Amino acid sequence: MTFTLTSTDITDGGVLPDAQVQAKGNTSPHLKWSGAPEGTKSFAITCYDPDAPTGSGFWHWTVANIPADVTEIPTGGPVPSGAVEGRTDFGEPGFGGAAPPPGHGPHRYIFTVFAVDTARLDVTPDNSGAVFGFNLHFHTLAKASITATYENAG
């Protein structure tokens, strides 16, 4: 079985809808996953923009410790009880929508769900995307992504 990610809000290769743009809706998208590998004890979600002019990209959403029996997050959340949303590059936990600089061209927004081999990653709401990524590096069994784009023409 293949680990897959789908959404009723965003389409792989498509343009992000206004609802997922910070200045227009700032709402986390619906995400649904299936086909997690044997040994999955929790899930994690990230949204990352590798095109941000920072030298290190931009973290728009990090969530860990989603229970293994959860396979869907509704539009706008909430994340399940016990899950941890980390600090985004906007400076606080929770979803932060697309906000590329005006005239910078299209940015990719990569929404990824990770099947994790432990029930709890050692992360807190104060941790950055880099800390979430570091922990996920050592505990990921599989991952599935949807990449959408958005451009702020200015």
Side-chain angles (χ1 to χ4, degrees):
M1 187 175 241
T2 303
F3 191 46
T4 58
L5 175 62
T6 59
S7 175
T8 58
D9 296 323
I10 57 176
T11 303
D12 193 45
V15 175
L16 277 181
D18 286 350
Q20 281 70 57
V21 175
Q22 186 185 41
K24 297 180 179 182
N26 206 39
T27 303
S28 60
H30 164 263
L31 298 174
K32 184 176 183 173
W33 52 94
S34 61
E38 187 174 331
T40 299
K41 295 182 180 170
S42 69
F43 296 100
I45 298 170
T46 62
C47 177
Y48 177 71
D49 170 4
D51 303 311
T54 64
S56 60
F58 200 95
W59 293 98
H60 286 261
W61 198 21
T62 55
V63 186
N65 304 336
I66 298 169
D69 62 350
V70 173
T71 58
E72 187 170 15
I73 303 288
T75 303
V79 298
S81 178
V84 175
E85 289 185 286
R87 180 177 43 82
T88 69
D89 286 335
F90 289 111
E92 48 191 57
F95 178 78
H104 194 255
H107 283 218
R108 292 168 289 164
Y109 295 88
I110 305 168
F111 292 84
T112 304
V113 174
F114 298 81
V116 181
D117 70 359
T118 184
R120 299 206 57 79
L121 293 176
D122 188 21
V123 293
T124 72
D126 293 325
N127 289 143
S128 67
V131 171
F132 273 69
F134 178 82
N135 280 275
L136 285 166
H137 176 79
F138 296 101
H139 294 285
T140 298
L141 296 171
K143 61 185 178 177
S145 298
I146 294 173
T147 301
T149 61
Y150 182 76
E151 180 175 3
N152 183 356

